[in-house]
Amino acid sequence: VLSKQKSMKKYLTYEDEKSNKFWQIEVIGKSFTVTYGKTGTAGTSQLKEFDTEDKCLKEAEKLLNEKLK
């Protein structure tokens, strides 16, 4: 029996008089990719891997909550 991988994808944007940028996180199984940069560009991506899916999702949610403050 195949277990379902944990996944999550969130895309945030920030815009004011001086900046227009995005931040995205995508969780697939035991790793996530954060992509950020100026809106309209490909941005910069960083991949982070974890021992378990639960640790990965917990860390991703922590990063997302920091961005939403």
Side-chain angles (χ1 to χ4, degrees), residues 40-58:
T41 69
T44 301
S45 293
Q46 296 176 323
L47 175 69
K48 194 161 185 184
E49 296 185 44
F50 295 84
D51 296 334
T52 67
E53 290 185 6
D54 287 335
K55 284 182 185 176
C56 181
L57 197 57
K58 187 174 182 179

Side-chain angles (χ1 to χ4, degrees), residues 10-49:
K10 299 290 179 186
Y11 185 86
L12 306 176
T13 58
Y14 177 79
E15 189 175 343
D16 66 15
E17 304 83 36
K18 297 177 185 173
S19 63
N20 184 1
K21 52 192 175 180
F22 72 94
W23 184 88
Q24 175 181 294
I25 189 162
E26 183 171 13
V27 176
I28 300 173
K30 295 190 282 187
S31 67
F32 66 69
T33 303
V34 172
T35 306
Y36 59 92
K38 192 174 180 181
T39 301
T41 69
T44 301
S45 293
Q46 296 176 323
L47 175 69
K48 194 161 185 184
E49 296 185 44

